[in-house]
Amino acid sequence: MTRKALSATLVATLLVMPIVGAAPAQADEWRHTVLLYGMGAALDGTAQVGPLEVPVDLSISDLFDALELGAMAAYRVENDTWSVTGDMTYMGLGGHSRSEGGRVKGDVDVDQFTLMGTVGRRLSERFELLLSLSYFNLSTDLKVDTTAPVPGEVTTRAASVDVDWVDPMLGMHYEVPFHEDWKLNLRGDIGGFGVGSNFSYQMLVTLQWQSAGGAGAVFGYRLIGFDYEDGQRSSPSYERFDLTEQGPLIGMTYRF
């Protein structure tokens, strides 16, 4: 089976997991939560296609200038033992970097789509073990302009690539309820293991308010990173994306 076929199969699995998980396998009441949120993320690392390598360094303030389009949503269904969560993020980003006294200018344009499907098994009232599949898709355009010592002489190199992969991930979720309608959620995941990427990870901290009427709000901080590599370094088709995005998030929830 090719990488593309494997990715398609695993993505289909991600999409049907919430439907399977929502079936009432036991008498516990199933609770549903929909989350719509936005994230202001700093992005840093390295993107490389063949010999063309561009460092990426976008601060949170840069992001608002670089963000072309963003959409983020999550859905969770749970009872007292099991949970199934689907999380989707899309960001279109563009940025610039300079080096060597300003003579080398790099441009990067990244469209990133991530879909994560997670099954959780509650071991105690507050602690949950997680097993996830994460689908990553990156559509990247790179360009490097090099200005020679002679004024007016500029050499331009460019490359475009569209890559996708699926990472298995293991994680933990711990929640701390306090007051009447508030709780603190802590989540951490690691994955990749050479199946899709070499290594991927996620850390998420959220403070959630949930009213008895169903509406709620969430405030938090999220960090996502991955190190994906394909091909030989000496090959013109070599691809590597070693990127980390992190920043605050805010959103609205509805439980039913």
Side-chain angles (χ1 to χ4, degrees):
M1 180 178 292
T2 65
R3 180 188 290 271
K4 291 289 186 181
L6 178 60
S7 297
T9 301
L10 292 177
V11 170
T13 302
L14 286 176
L15 295 175
V16 302
M17 280 170 59
I19 300 174
V20 175
Q26 48 186 288
D28 296 340
E29 177 186 358
W30 290 85
R31 303 173 294 277
H32 304 256
T33 303
V34 177
L35 166 64
L36 301 176
Y37 67 100
M39 179 179 171
L43 182 67
D44 65 88
T46 301
Q48 181 175 352
V49 178
L52 191 60
E53 180 178 350
V54 176
V56 181
D57 186 6
L58 293 174
S59 68
I60 294 177
S61 59
D62 293 332
L63 180 73
F64 293 104
D65 295 328
L67 184 63
E68 301 162 357
L69 179 66
M72 304 167 190
Y75 168 75
R76 176 180 171 93
V77 55
E78 63 183 317
N79 62 14
D80 293 336
T81 306
W82 296 96
S83 71
V84 178
T85 305
D87 187 288
M88 181 277 294
T89 64
Y90 173 81
M91 287 194 296
L93 297 169
H96 314 282
S97 64
R98 288 185 178 272
S99 62
E100 300 181 15
R103 290 179 48 228
V104 179
K105 176 186 175 183
D107 295 316
V108 57
D109 191 347
V110 179
D111 290 337
Q112 176 182 331
F113 174 77
T114 306
L115 178 63
M116 176 182 287
T118 303
V119 174
R121 175 65 162 85
R122 194 176 294 276
L123 301 183
S124 69
E125 183 178 356
R126 299 185 179 182
F127 182 74
E128 192 176 18
L129 284 179
L130 307 175
L131 174 63
S132 304
L133 287 176
S134 294
Y135 171 74
F136 295 87
N137 179 273
L138 296 179
S139 180
T140 308
D141 296 319
L142 305 179
K143 185 175 74 170
V144 173
D145 295 327
T146 304
T147 303
V150 179
E153 292 188 6
V154 178
T155 301
T156 299
R157 294 182 299 161
S160 298
V161 67
D162 190 348
V163 299
D164 63 347
W165 70 91
V166 175
D167 280 346
M169 303 188 78
L170 301 174
M172 298 179 294
H173 172 228
Y174 188 77
E175 62 182 45
V176 184
F178 61 94
H179 203 261
E180 294 180 356
D181 303 321
W182 293 86
K183 67 177 179 179
L184 179 69
N185 295 290
L186 307 172
R187 174 173 176 171
D189 303 85
I190 60 171
F193 312 118
V195 177
S197 68
N198 297 326
F199 184 64
S200 59
Y201 57 93
Q202 172 185 238
M203 296 180 64
L204 177 64
V205 180
T206 60
L207 180 63
Q208 182 176 353
W209 170 76
Q210 192 70 53
S211 71
V218 61
F219 312 89
Y221 196 91
R222 188 179 192 182
L223 182 150
I224 303 173
F226 49 83
D227 183 0
Y228 171 82
E229 185 177 23
D230 187 38
Q232 300 295 322
R233 287 183 178 271
S234 58
S235 170
S237 61
Y238 174 71
E239 301 163 348
R240 186 182 183 192
F241 298 93
D242 185 3
L243 298 173
T244 301
E245 57 190 48
Q246 58 180 314
L249 63 86
I250 183 171
M252 301 179 297
T253 66
Y254 185 75
R255 174 173 287 183
F256 57 97

